[in-house]
Amino acid sequence: MSSGSSSIPHHIAIVMDGNGRWATRRFLPRLAGHKQGVEALKRCARDCVQRGVSVLTVFAFSSENWNRPAEEVSGLMDLLARALSREVPQLQKDGVRLHFVGEKTSLSEKVRAGLAQAEAVTAHNTRLVLNVCFNYGGRWDIAQAASALAARGEPITEASLHTAMGLAHVPDPDLVIRTGGEMRISNFLLWQCAYSELYFSDRLWPDFDGGALDQAIAAYGARERRFGKTSEQLLATPTTSACA
């Protein structure tokens, strides 16, 4: 285990990549891959609870995904609406608190109402905070935070920007996982992942299971998180904090 962190990350963030490729390899419509991606997310949330992870943040739909074929975008919106009505009761029972982070004005009134209701129903749950980044981009998050501060006439500093971000209610992620074999951030949590450990998995998201999660957590636990300090400083002044 590293000197600067617990072996279990407090906050895991995931770029859930590979749904479309998973479907294409099986000669299925891309939307079938997204449906399996929802099932993978349900498994992952349960696995995180079992392993003692407190916060799970997932990249469900980026602001750039509007550029995908109209049929796929429409299907994703319908899938979100159905998933909310079908899965929220179980999430409530499992003690999962939902937060939806992203630009909501471009979403339909039906979708916005569903998001708000899901957040309200699960607001008092404490076992796991599940942040779903939907119509989200890291650059958008920084820009909207700066705009909000400017509108209120508040100075724009690192501390004030942090409090205006979409994930101000949770600590920064300790571990960022990207599935699907790609090795980039893709405009995800650009501010929040400044000191996150990065882990890239070749698994397509629908195939990402508890074993794959354990591999990512094991890799995280083997790393030394220095936050700008030297190894000698960490040994001389141990810290129990998993985030900076």
Side-chain angles (χ1 to χ4, degrees):
M1 184 174 66
S2 65
S3 300
S5 70
S6 164
S7 60
I8 300 296
H10 177 83
H11 181 178
I12 293 178
I14 304 179
V15 180
M16 304 182 296
D17 193 21
N19 292 333
R21 281 175 286 158
W22 184 92
T24 300
R25 290 177 185 180
R26 290 161 176 77
F27 304 100
L28 297 170
R30 288 177 61 87
L31 193 58
H34 294 303
K35 290 178 180 178
Q36 286 300 313
V38 172
E39 297 302 311
L41 176 55
K42 288 163 56 179
R43 290 196 309 267
C44 188
R46 289 194 299 266
D47 291 340
C48 283
V49 169
Q50 292 171 0
R51 287 154 179 77
V53 176
S54 299
V55 183
L56 174 63
T57 299
V58 296
F59 204 4
F61 187 86
S62 79
S63 48
E64 288 79 21
N65 287 156
W66 291 106
N67 296 319
R68 291 188 176 187
E71 181 180 355
E72 182 175 353
V73 172
S74 175
L76 282 167
M77 294 299 166
D78 290 342
L79 180 61
L80 173 64
R82 290 197 302 272
L84 286 172
S85 61
R86 186 177 65 246
E87 306 299 344
V88 168
Q90 186 61 49
L91 292 171
Q92 162 69 2
K93 186 182 298 184
D94 292 341
V96 176
R97 181 179 183 181
L98 278 166
H99 280 271
F100 293 93
V101 182
E103 199 281 311
K104 297 183 176 69
T105 58
S106 58
L107 303 178
S108 71
E109 184 177 344
K110 178 182 178 181
V111 169
R112 291 199 304 270
L115 301 184
Q117 182 179 16
E119 288 182 334
V121 168
T122 62
H124 300 292
N125 292 339
T126 58
R127 294 191 71 190
L128 178 75
V129 176
L130 175 56
N131 299 305
V132 180
C133 293
F134 196 87
N135 197 23
Y136 171 90
R139 291 177 175 177
W140 164 86
D141 197 9
I142 296 169
Q144 68 81 27
S147 179
L149 292 171
R152 297 197 294 263
E154 299 180 18
I156 298 176
T157 66
E158 285 193 27
S160 65
L161 271 174
H162 188 81
T163 62
M165 292 285 176
L167 289 176
H169 58 284
V170 294
D172 289 346
D174 304 295
L175 173 63
V176 176
I177 299 170
R178 181 175 184 138
T179 64
E182 304 290 353
M183 300 178 71
R184 56 180 178 267
I185 299 298
S186 293
N187 199 20
F188 183 49
L189 305 183
L190 297 182
W191 178 275
Q192 295 87 350
C193 72
Y195 277 99
S196 302
E197 295 298 320
L198 305 181
Y199 180 87
F200 299 98
S201 171
D202 289 332
R203 296 275 191 105
L204 301 178
W205 174 245
D207 294 328
F208 193 84
D209 55 16
L213 178 64
D214 287 336
Q215 289 177 353
I217 291 175
Y220 166 84
R223 299 180 189 180
E224 182 179 68
R225 307 189 69 202
R226 296 190 294 273
F227 302 109
K229 297 181 180 180
T230 66
S231 299
E232 291 75 16
Q233 284 177 302
L234 289 178
L235 289 172
T237 311
T239 176
T240 58
S241 173
C243 51

mmCIF file with all atom_site columns, all heavy atoms in Angstrom, residues 136 138 141-142 157-163 165 172 188-195:
data_model
loop_
_atom_site.group_PDB
_atom_site.id
_atom_site.type_symbol
_atom_site.label_atom_id
_atom_site.label_alt_id
_atom_site.label_comp_id
_atom_site.label_asym_id
_atom_site.label_entity_id
_atom_site.label_seq_id
_atom_site.pdbx_PDB_ins_code
_atom_site.Cartn_x
_atom_site.Cartn_y
_atom_site.Cartn_z
_atom_site.occupancy
_atom_site.B_iso_or_equiv
_atom_site.pdbx_formal_charge
_atom_site.auth_seq_id
_atom_site.auth_comp_id
_atom_site.auth_asym_id
_atom_site.auth_atom_id
_atom_site.pdbx_PDB_model_num
ATOM 1   N N   . TYR A 1 136 ? -22.283 16.636 -19.997 1.00 0.00 ? 136 TYR A N   1
ATOM 2   C CA  . TYR A 1 136 ? -21.227 17.221 -19.176 1.00 0.00 ? 136 TYR A CA  1
ATOM 3   C C   . TYR A 1 136 ? -19.942 17.339 -19.975 1.00 0.00 ? 136 TYR A C   1
ATOM 4   O O   . TYR A 1 136 ? -19.649 16.506 -20.835 1.00 0.00 ? 136 TYR A O   1
ATOM 5   C CB  . TYR A 1 136 ? -20.976 16.337 -17.939 1.00 0.00 ? 136 TYR A CB  1
ATOM 6   C CG  . TYR A 1 136 ? -19.759 16.741 -17.140 1.00 0.00 ? 136 TYR A CG  1
ATOM 7   C CD1 . TYR A 1 136 ? -19.859 17.663 -16.107 1.00 0.00 ? 136 TYR A CD1 1
ATOM 8   C CD2 . TYR A 1 136 ? -18.506 16.218 -17.448 1.00 0.00 ? 136 TYR A CD2 1
ATOM 9   C CE1 . TYR A 1 136 ? -18.738 18.047 -15.385 1.00 0.00 ? 136 TYR A CE1 1
ATOM 10  C CE2 . TYR A 1 136 ? -17.372 16.599 -16.735 1.00 0.00 ? 136 TYR A CE2 1
ATOM 11  C CZ  . TYR A 1 136 ? -17.500 17.514 -15.701 1.00 0.00 ? 136 TYR A CZ  1
ATOM 12  O OH  . TYR A 1 136 ? -16.397 17.904 -14.995 1.00 0.00 ? 136 TYR A OH  1
ATOM 13  N N   . GLY A 1 138 ? -15.712 18.823 -18.996 1.00 0.00 ? 138 GLY A N   1
ATOM 14  C CA  . GLY A 1 138 ? -14.855 19.444 -18.006 1.00 0.00 ? 138 GLY A CA  1
ATOM 15  C C   . GLY A 1 138 ? -14.651 20.931 -18.256 1.00 0.00 ? 138 GLY A C   1
ATOM 16  O O   . GLY A 1 138 ? -14.617 21.739 -17.321 1.00 0.00 ? 138 GLY A O   1
ATOM 17  N N   . ASP A 1 141 ? -17.707 22.788 -17.186 1.00 0.00 ? 141 ASP A N   1
ATOM 18  C CA  . ASP A 1 141 ? -17.802 22.891 -15.733 1.00 0.00 ? 141 ASP A CA  1
ATOM 19  C C   . ASP A 1 141 ? -16.982 24.074 -15.213 1.00 0.00 ? 141 ASP A C   1
ATOM 20  O O   . ASP A 1 141 ? -17.436 24.851 -14.367 1.00 0.00 ? 141 ASP A O   1
ATOM 21  C CB  . ASP A 1 141 ? -17.330 21.586 -15.098 1.00 0.00 ? 141 ASP A CB  1
ATOM 22  C CG  . ASP A 1 141 ? -17.770 21.434 -13.647 1.00 0.00 ? 141 ASP A CG  1
ATOM 23  O OD1 . ASP A 1 141 ? -18.579 22.252 -13.175 1.00 0.00 ? 141 ASP A OD1 1
ATOM 24  O OD2 . ASP A 1 141 ? -17.315 20.484 -12.990 1.00 0.00 ? 141 ASP A OD2 1
ATOM 25  N N   . ILE A 1 142 ? -15.762 24.223 -15.728 1.00 0.00 ? 142 ILE A N   1
ATOM 26  C CA  . ILE A 1 142 ? -14.906 25.344 -15.317 1.00 0.00 ? 142 ILE A CA  1
ATOM 27  C C   . ILE A 1 142 ? -15.525 26.671 -15.739 1.00 0.00 ? 142 ILE A C   1
ATOM 28  O O   . ILE A 1 142 ? -15.578 27.632 -14.956 1.00 0.00 ? 142 ILE A O   1
ATOM 29  C CB  . ILE A 1 142 ? -13.491 25.186 -15.893 1.00 0.00 ? 142 ILE A CB  1
ATOM 30  C CG1 . ILE A 1 142 ? -12.814 23.931 -15.330 1.00 0.00 ? 142 ILE A CG1 1
ATOM 31  C CG2 . ILE A 1 142 ? -12.644 26.418 -15.590 1.00 0.00 ? 142 ILE A CG2 1
ATOM 32  C CD1 . ILE A 1 142 ? -11.520 23.541 -16.018 1.00 0.00 ? 142 ILE A CD1 1
ATOM 33  N N   . THR A 1 157 ? -10.971 32.559 -7.609  1.00 0.00 ? 157 THR A N   1
ATOM 34  C CA  . THR A 1 157 ? -9.751  31.956 -7.091  1.00 0.00 ? 157 THR A CA  1
ATOM 35  C C   . THR A 1 157 ? -9.876  30.447 -7.205  1.00 0.00 ? 157 THR A C   1
ATOM 36  O O   . THR A 1 157 ? -10.953 29.920 -7.525  1.00 0.00 ? 157 THR A O   1
ATOM 37  C CB  . THR A 1 157 ? -9.527  32.341 -5.619  1.00 0.00 ? 157 THR A CB  1
ATOM 38  O OG1 . THR A 1 157 ? -10.585 31.757 -4.830  1.00 0.00 ? 157 THR A OG1 1
ATOM 39  C CG2 . THR A 1 157 ? -9.548  33.863 -5.429  1.00 0.00 ? 157 THR A CG2 1
ATOM 40  N N   . GLU A 1 158 ? -8.786  29.739 -6.916  1.00 0.00 ? 158 GLU A N   1
ATOM 41  C CA  . GLU A 1 158 ? -8.874  28.274 -6.933  1.00 0.00 ? 158 GLU A CA  1
ATOM 42  C C   . GLU A 1 158 ? -9.935  27.783 -5.949  1.00 0.00 ? 158 GLU A C   1
ATOM 43  O O   . GLU A 1 158 ? -10.720 26.885 -6.268  1.00 0.00 ? 158 GLU A O   1
ATOM 44  C CB  . GLU A 1 158 ? -7.518  27.655 -6.597  1.00 0.00 ? 158 GLU A CB  1
ATOM 45  C CG  . GLU A 1 158 ? -6.505  27.737 -7.719  1.00 0.00 ? 158 GLU A CG  1
ATOM 46  C CD  . GLU A 1 158 ? -5.299  26.843 -7.469  1.00 0.00 ? 158 GLU A CD  1
ATOM 47  O OE1 . GLU A 1 158 ? -5.450  25.823 -6.756  1.00 0.00 ? 158 GLU A OE1 1
ATOM 48  O OE2 . GLU A 1 158 ? -4.214  27.170 -7.977  1.00 0.00 ? 158 GLU A OE2 1
ATOM 49  N N   . ALA A 1 159 ? -9.955  28.363 -4.755  1.00 0.00 ? 159 ALA A N   1
ATOM 50  C CA  . ALA A 1 159 ? -10.900 27.920 -3.739  1.00 0.00 ? 159 ALA A CA  1
ATOM 51  C C   . ALA A 1 159 ? -12.334 28.221 -4.140  1.00 0.00 ? 159 ALA A C   1
ATOM 52  O O   . ALA A 1 159 ? -13.230 27.374 -3.989  1.00 0.00 ? 159 ALA A O   1
ATOM 53  C CB  . ALA A 1 159 ? -10.572 28.584 -2.401  1.00 0.00 ? 159 ALA A CB  1
ATOM 54  N N   . SER A 1 160 ? -12.583 29.426 -4.660  1.00 0.00 ? 160 SER A N   1
ATOM 55  C CA  . SER A 1 160 ? -13.965 29.774 -5.020  1.00 0.00 ? 160 SER A CA  1
ATOM 56  C C   . SER A 1 160 ? -14.439 28.992 -6.234  1.00 0.00 ? 160 SER A C   1
ATOM 57  O O   . SER A 1 160 ? -15.598 28.565 -6.308  1.00 0.00 ? 160 SER A O   1
ATOM 58  C CB  . SER A 1 160 ? -14.085 31.280 -5.270  1.00 0.00 ? 160 SER A CB  1
ATOM 59  O OG  . SER A 1 160 ? -13.322 31.689 -6.397  1.00 0.00 ? 160 SER A OG  1
ATOM 60  N N   . LEU A 1 161 ? -13.538 28.768 -7.213  1.00 0.00 ? 161 LEU A N   1
ATOM 61  C CA  . LEU A 1 161 ? -13.910 27.951 -8.367  1.00 0.00 ? 161 LEU A CA  1
ATOM 62  C C   . LEU A 1 161 ? -14.292 26.541 -7.924  1.00 0.00 ? 161 LEU A C   1
ATOM 63  O O   . LEU A 1 161 ? -15.276 25.968 -8.398  1.00 0.00 ? 161 LEU A O   1
ATOM 64  C CB  . LEU A 1 161 ? -12.758 27.885 -9.364  1.00 0.00 ? 161 LEU A CB  1
ATOM 65  C CG  . LEU A 1 161 ? -12.693 28.976 -10.434 1.00 0.00 ? 161 LEU A CG  1
ATOM 66  C CD1 . LEU A 1 161 ? -11.404 28.842 -11.232 1.00 0.00 ? 161 LEU A CD1 1
ATOM 67  C CD2 . LEU A 1 161 ? -13.897 28.916 -11.358 1.00 0.00 ? 161 LEU A CD2 1
ATOM 68  N N   . HIS A 1 162 ? -13.517 25.998 -7.005  1.00 0.00 ? 162 HIS A N   1
ATOM 69  C CA  . HIS A 1 162 ? -13.784 24.635 -6.534  1.00 0.00 ? 162 HIS A CA  1
ATOM 70  C C   . HIS A 1 162 ? -15.196 24.519 -5.958  1.00 0.00 ? 162 HIS A C   1
ATOM 71  O O   . HIS A 1 162 ? -15.907 23.545 -6.209  1.00 0.00 ? 162 HIS A O   1
ATOM 72  C CB  . HIS A 1 162 ? -12.749 24.239 -5.485  1.00 0.00 ? 162 HIS A CB  1
ATOM 73  C CG  . HIS A 1 162 ? -12.828 22.797 -5.075  1.00 0.00 ? 162 HIS A CG  1
ATOM 74  N ND1 . HIS A 1 162 ? -12.264 21.789 -5.826  1.00 0.00 ? 162 HIS A ND1 1
ATOM 75  C CD2 . HIS A 1 162 ? -13.428 22.194 -4.022  1.00 0.00 ? 162 HIS A CD2 1
ATOM 76  C CE1 . HIS A 1 162 ? -12.505 20.622 -5.248  1.00 0.00 ? 162 HIS A CE1 1
ATOM 77  N NE2 . HIS A 1 162 ? -13.199 20.840 -4.154  1.00 0.00 ? 162 HIS A NE2 1
ATOM 78  N N   . THR A 1 163 ? -15.618 25.531 -5.189  1.00 0.00 ? 163 THR A N   1
ATOM 79  C CA  . THR A 1 163 ? -16.942 25.471 -4.560  1.00 0.00 ? 163 THR A CA  1
ATOM 80  C C   . THR A 1 163 ? -18.072 25.656 -5.562  1.00 0.00 ? 163 THR A C   1
ATOM 81  O O   . THR A 1 163 ? -19.216 25.310 -5.269  1.00 0.00 ? 163 THR A O   1
ATOM 82  C CB  . THR A 1 163 ? -17.073 26.536 -3.463  1.00 0.00 ? 163 THR A CB  1
ATOM 83  O OG1 . THR A 1 163 ? -16.945 27.847 -4.045  1.00 0.00 ? 163 THR A OG1 1
ATOM 84  C CG2 . THR A 1 163 ? -16.011 26.365 -2.398  1.00 0.00 ? 163 THR A CG2 1
ATOM 85  N N   . MET A 1 165 ? -17.998 24.331 -8.673  1.00 0.00 ? 165 MET A N   1
ATOM 86  C CA  . MET A 1 165 ? -17.985 23.224 -9.636  1.00 0.00 ? 165 MET A CA  1
ATOM 87  C C   . MET A 1 165 ? -19.156 22.270 -9.427  1.00 0.00 ? 165 MET A C   1
ATOM 88  O O   . MET A 1 165 ? -19.768 22.226 -8.362  1.00 0.00 ? 165 MET A O   1
ATOM 89  C CB  . MET A 1 165 ? -16.678 22.434 -9.488  1.00 0.00 ? 165 MET A CB  1
ATOM 90  C CG  . MET A 1 165 ? -15.440 23.188 -9.925  1.00 0.00 ? 165 MET A CG  1
ATOM 91  S SD  . MET A 1 165 ? -15.321 23.286 -11.711 1.00 0.00 ? 165 MET A SD  1
ATOM 92  C CE  . MET A 1 165 ? -13.860 24.312 -11.839 1.00 0.00 ? 165 MET A CE  1
ATOM 93  N N   . ASP A 1 172 ? -12.374 15.404 -4.497  1.00 0.00 ? 172 ASP A N   1
ATOM 94  C CA  . ASP A 1 172 ? -11.881 15.066 -5.828  1.00 0.00 ? 172 ASP A CA  1
ATOM 95  C C   . ASP A 1 172 ? -11.644 13.560 -5.938  1.00 0.00 ? 172 ASP A C   1
ATOM 96  O O   . ASP A 1 172 ? -11.344 12.890 -4.942  1.00 0.00 ? 172 ASP A O   1
ATOM 97  C CB  . ASP A 1 172 ? -10.572 15.804 -6.110  1.00 0.00 ? 172 ASP A CB  1
ATOM 98  C CG  . ASP A 1 172 ? -10.779 17.301 -6.310  1.00 0.00 ? 172 ASP A CG  1
ATOM 99  O OD1 . ASP A 1 172 ? -11.939 17.724 -6.502  1.00 0.00 ? 172 ASP A OD1 1
ATOM 100 O OD2 . ASP A 1 172 ? -9.783  18.043 -6.263  1.00 0.00 ? 172 ASP A OD2 1
ATOM 101 N N   . PHE A 1 188 ? -13.128 15.042 -19.278 1.00 0.00 ? 188 PHE A N   1
ATOM 102 C CA  . PHE A 1 188 ? -13.819 14.549 -18.088 1.00 0.00 ? 188 PHE A CA  1
ATOM 103 C C   . PHE A 1 188 ? -13.103 15.025 -16.831 1.00 0.00 ? 188 PHE A C   1
ATOM 104 O O   . PHE A 1 188 ? -11.915 14.755 -16.653 1.00 0.00 ? 188 PHE A O   1
ATOM 105 C CB  . PHE A 1 188 ? -13.858 13.015 -18.122 1.00 0.00 ? 188 PHE A CB  1
ATOM 106 C CG  . PHE A 1 188 ? -14.605 12.370 -16.986 1.00 0.00 ? 188 PHE A CG  1
ATOM 107 C CD1 . PHE A 1 188 ? -15.868 12.795 -16.619 1.00 0.00 ? 188 PHE A CD1 1
ATOM 108 C CD2 . PHE A 1 188 ? -14.046 11.310 -16.284 1.00 0.00 ? 188 PHE A CD2 1
ATOM 109 C CE1 . PHE A 1 188 ? -16.569 12.187 -15.583 1.00 0.00 ? 188 PHE A CE1 1
ATOM 110 C CE2 . PHE A 1 188 ? -14.736 10.686 -15.243 1.00 0.00 ? 188 PHE A CE2 1
ATOM 111 C CZ  . PHE A 1 188 ? -16.001 11.131 -14.905 1.00 0.00 ? 188 PHE A CZ  1
ATOM 112 N N   . LEU A 1 189 ? -13.794 15.766 -15.990 1.00 0.00 ? 189 LEU A N   1
ATOM 113 C CA  . LEU A 1 189 ? -13.282 16.188 -14.678 1.00 0.00 ? 189 LEU A CA  1
ATOM 114 C C   . LEU A 1 189 ? -11.901 16.834 -14.787 1.00 0.00 ? 189 LEU A C   1
ATOM 115 O O   . LEU A 1 189 ? -10.994 16.513 -14.016 1.00 0.00 ? 189 LEU A O   1
ATOM 116 C CB  . LEU A 1 189 ? -13.227 14.991 -13.719 1.00 0.00 ? 189 LEU A CB  1
ATOM 117 C CG  . LEU A 1 189 ? -14.521 14.215 -13.504 1.00 0.00 ? 189 LEU A CG  1
ATOM 118 C CD1 . LEU A 1 189 ? -14.308 13.108 -12.474 1.00 0.00 ? 189 LEU A CD1 1
ATOM 119 C CD2 . LEU A 1 189 ? -15.664 15.117 -13.074 1.00 0.00 ? 189 LEU A CD2 1
ATOM 120 N N   . LEU A 1 190 ? -11.758 17.751 -15.720 1.00 0.00 ? 190 LEU A N   1
ATOM 121 C CA  . LEU A 1 190 ? -10.445 18.356 -15.955 1.00 0.00 ? 190 LEU A CA  1
ATOM 122 C C   . LEU A 1 190 ? -9.910  19.066 -14.719 1.00 0.00 ? 190 LEU A C   1
ATOM 123 O O   . LEU A 1 190 ? -8.699  19.026 -14.440 1.00 0.00 ? 190 LEU A O   1
ATOM 124 C CB  . LEU A 1 190 ? -10.533 19.355 -17.117 1.00 0.00 ? 190 LEU A CB  1
ATOM 125 C CG  . LEU A 1 190 ? -10.901 18.770 -18.480 1.00 0.00 ? 190 LEU A CG  1
ATOM 126 C CD1 . LEU A 1 190 ? -10.904 19.861 -19.530 1.00 0.00 ? 190 LEU A CD1 1
ATOM 127 C CD2 . LEU A 1 190 ? -9.937  17.658 -18.871 1.00 0.00 ? 190 LEU A CD2 1
ATOM 128 N N   . TRP A 1 191 ? -10.768 19.717 -13.980 1.00 0.00 ? 191 TRP A N   1
ATOM 129 C CA  . TRP A 1 191 ? -10.349 20.406 -12.755 1.00 0.00 ? 191 TRP A CA  1
ATOM 130 C C   . TRP A 1 191 ? -10.120 19.407 -11.628 1.00 0.00 ? 191 TRP A C   1
ATOM 131 O O   . TRP A 1 191 ? -9.117  19.441 -10.922 1.00 0.00 ? 191 TRP A O   1
ATOM 132 C CB  . TRP A 1 191 ? -11.419 21.427 -12.357 1.00 0.00 ? 191 TRP A CB  1
ATOM 133 C CG  . TRP A 1 191 ? -11.143 22.171 -11.092 1.00 0.00 ? 191 TRP A CG  1
ATOM 134 C CD1 . TRP A 1 191 ? -11.434 21.770 -9.803  1.00 0.00 ? 191 TRP A CD1 1
ATOM 135 C CD2 . TRP A 1 191 ? -10.511 23.440 -10.965 1.00 0.00 ? 191 TRP A CD2 1
ATOM 136 N NE1 . TRP A 1 191 ? -11.030 22.719 -8.899  1.00 0.00 ? 191 TRP A NE1 1
ATOM 137 C CE2 . TRP A 1 191 ? -10.462 23.758 -9.585  1.00 0.00 ? 191 TRP A CE2 1
ATOM 138 C CE3 . TRP A 1 191 ? -9.996  24.354 -11.889 1.00 0.00 ? 191 TRP A CE3 1
ATOM 139 C CZ2 . TRP A 1 191 ? -9.909  24.933 -9.105  1.00 0.00 ? 191 TRP A CZ2 1
ATOM 140 C CZ3 . TRP A 1 191 ? -9.451  25.530 -11.410 1.00 0.00 ? 191 TRP A CZ3 1
ATOM 141 C CH2 . TRP A 1 191 ? -9.401  25.814 -10.040 1.00 0.00 ? 191 TRP A CH2 1
ATOM 142 N N   . GLN A 1 192 ? -11.055 18.489 -11.467 1.00 0.00 ? 192 GLN A N   1
ATOM 143 C CA  . GLN A 1 192 ? -11.065 17.619 -10.284 1.00 0.00 ? 192 GLN A CA  1
ATOM 144 C C   . GLN A 1 192 ? -10.007 16.528 -10.320 1.00 0.00 ? 192 GLN A C   1
ATOM 145 O O   . GLN A 1 192 ? -9.619  16.009 -9.277  1.00 0.00 ? 192 GLN A O   1
ATOM 146 C CB  . GLN A 1 192 ? -12.453 16.984 -10.126 1.00 0.00 ? 192 GLN A CB  1
ATOM 147 C CG  . GLN A 1 192 ? -13.572 17.957 -9.828  1.00 0.00 ? 192 GLN A CG  1
ATOM 148 C CD  . GLN A 1 192 ? -14.202 18.556 -11.085 1.00 0.00 ? 192 GLN A CD  1
ATOM 149 O OE1 . GLN A 1 192 ? -13.689 18.395 -12.191 1.00 0.00 ? 192 GLN A OE1 1
ATOM 150 N NE2 . GLN A 1 192 ? -15.311 19.248 -10.909 1.00 0.00 ? 192 GLN A NE2 1
ATOM 151 N N   . CYS A 1 193 ? -9.519  16.132 -11.499 1.00 0.00 ? 193 CYS A N   1
ATOM 152 C CA  . CYS A 1 193 ? -8.586  14.995 -11.557 1.00 0.00 ? 193 CYS A CA  1
ATOM 153 C C   . CYS A 1 193 ? -7.124  15.446 -11.599 1.00 0.00 ? 193 CYS A C   1
ATOM 154 O O   . CYS A 1 193 ? -6.241  14.680 -12.010 1.00 0.00 ? 193 CYS A O   1
ATOM 155 C CB  . CYS A 1 193 ? -8.900  14.079 -12.726 1.00 0.00 ? 193 CYS A CB  1
ATOM 156 S SG  . CYS A 1 193 ? -8.497  14.738 -14.351 1.00 0.00 ? 193 CYS A SG  1
ATOM 157 N N   . ALA A 1 194 ? -6.847  16.671 -11.131 1.00 0.00 ? 194 ALA A N   1
ATOM 158 C CA  . ALA A 1 194 ? -5.481  17.195 -11.174 1.00 0.00 ? 194 ALA A CA  1
ATOM 159 C C   . ALA A 1 194 ? -4.489  16.274 -10.480 1.00 0.00 ? 194 ALA A C   1
ATOM 160 O O   . ALA A 1 194 ? -3.339  16.138 -10.921 1.00 0.00 ? 194 ALA A O   1
ATOM 161 C CB  . ALA A 1 194 ? -5.443  18.590 -10.540 1.00 0.00 ? 194 ALA A CB  1
ATOM 162 N N   . TYR A 1 195 ? -4.895  15.617 -9.397  1.00 0.00 ? 195 TYR A N   1
ATOM 163 C CA  . TYR A 1 195 ? -4.003  14.721 -8.655  1.00 0.00 ? 195 TYR A CA  1
ATOM 164 C C   . TYR A 1 195 ? -4.570  13.300 -8.557  1.00 0.00 ? 195 TYR A C   1
ATOM 165 O O   . TYR A 1 195 ? -4.140  12.521 -7.710  1.00 0.00 ? 195 TYR A O   1
ATOM 166 C CB  . TYR A 1 195 ? -3.715  15.281 -7.258  1.00 0.00 ? 195 TYR A CB  1
ATOM 167 C CG  . TYR A 1 195 ? -2.613  16.309 -7.257  1.00 0.00 ? 195 TYR A CG  1
ATOM 168 C CD1 . TYR A 1 195 ? -2.904  17.660 -7.257  1.00 0.00 ? 195 TYR A CD1 1
ATOM 169 C CD2 . TYR A 1 195 ? -1.266  15.929 -7.288  1.00 0.00 ? 195 TYR A CD2 1
ATOM 170 C CE1 . TYR A 1 195 ? -1.901  18.613 -7.270  1.00 0.00 ? 195 TYR A CE1 1
ATOM 171 C CE2 . TYR A 1 195 ? -0.255  16.873 -7.301  1.00 0.00 ? 195 TYR A CE2 1
ATOM 172 C CZ  . TYR A 1 195 ? -0.579  18.210 -7.292  1.00 0.00 ? 195 TYR A CZ  1
ATOM 173 O OH  . TYR A 1 195 ? 0.426   19.149 -7.314  1.00 0.00 ? 195 TYR A OH  1
#
